[in-house]
Amino acid sequence: MHDATRDEVTHENATQKVVAVDAEDNELEVVNRLEAHTDDGICHRAFTALVFDRDDNVLLAQRAPEKRLWGTYWDGTVASHPDPGQSQEEATRQRLEEELGITPDQYTDLRVTDRFEYKRYFENEGVEHEVCSVLQLTLTDRSLEPNEAEVAGLLWAPYDRLHRHPEWYRQLRLCPWFEIAMRRDVE
């Protein structure tokens, strides 16, 4: 059984804030991050960033096992929540550097390419109910310094092949927001 009281006391997300939004991504209020991911959740702002190389390979990152939701699942390169008052681009730059050591001089063309609302439950641990912006960029320098507290593994995959033949990648267990973003991007 899920013990929200224990989580609120011990989990680092209990001290963080996210921006609650409506389905069109209009800001409503600032809420506790753990509460936004517990029970039925609170719709909040999030992002996923897809990092490409010059050959149209996408960099997948395996979430660290310690992650409360979707630990060890494979994700687009980075995903998180912008802090209150922070733009999606600023948040992406910050997470790229914190999680992978990627600095702005290593990429070009950071841009928002899509936005969608979704809701998915994860086992008995929580829920993601987000308006997720998708950002894309191209690395000109593929040097990486992964933070093991955030990233368990990395994999460059041909983006088109991953989309056309998901059965070939089934063993990767992809995060739901990445699967939605990829499907919408290619369609």
Side-chain angles (χ1 to χ4, degrees), residues 11-46:
H11 200 276
E12 67 178 288
N13 289 357
T15 63
Q16 299 171 351
K17 303 290 184 195
V18 295
V19 178
V21 295
D22 64 16
E24 283 76 45
D25 199 34
N26 297 306
E27 184 172 337
L28 301 175
E29 62 182 322
V30 174
V31 297
N32 179 279
R33 181 175 170 175
L34 187 61
E35 289 176 16
H37 292 92
T38 304
D39 299 322
D40 280 331
I42 300 168
C43 186
H44 58 281
R45 187 172 287 156

Side-chain angles (χ1 to χ4, degrees), residues 5-16:
T5 305
R6 178 183 51 85
D7 285 350
E8 290 171 13
V9 172
T10 61
H11 200 276
E12 67 178 288
N13 289 357
T15 63
Q16 299 171 351

Side-chain angles (χ1 to χ4, degrees), residues 96-169:
L96 286 169
E97 192 155 355
E98 289 173 357
E99 293 187 22
L100 297 168
I102 296 174
T103 57
D105 62 331
Q106 291 179 256
Y107 55 86
T108 60
D109 67 349
L110 174 63
R111 67 211 179 277
V112 176
T113 60
D114 194 12
R115 185 175 65 218
F116 58 88
E117 179 187 10
Y118 77 100
K119 186 173 189 177
R120 296 291 187 280
Y121 290 88
F122 181 74
E123 300 172 352
N124 290 327
E125 293 297 318
V127 61
E128 293 286 3
H129 185 190
E130 299 178 332
V131 173
C132 184
S133 291
V134 180
L135 294 94
Q136 294 186 9
L137 60 109
T138 305
L139 278 186
T140 54
D141 173 358
R142 288 180 28 160
S143 303
L144 305 170
E145 295 177 29
N147 175 348
E148 290 181 9
E150 297 287 341
V151 179
L154 295 170
L155 171 70
W156 286 99
Y159 192 58
D160 183 57
R161 214 169 102 177
L162 178 63
H163 176 264
R164 284 187 296 121
H165 301 288
E167 68 277 11
W168 295 353
Y169 298 89

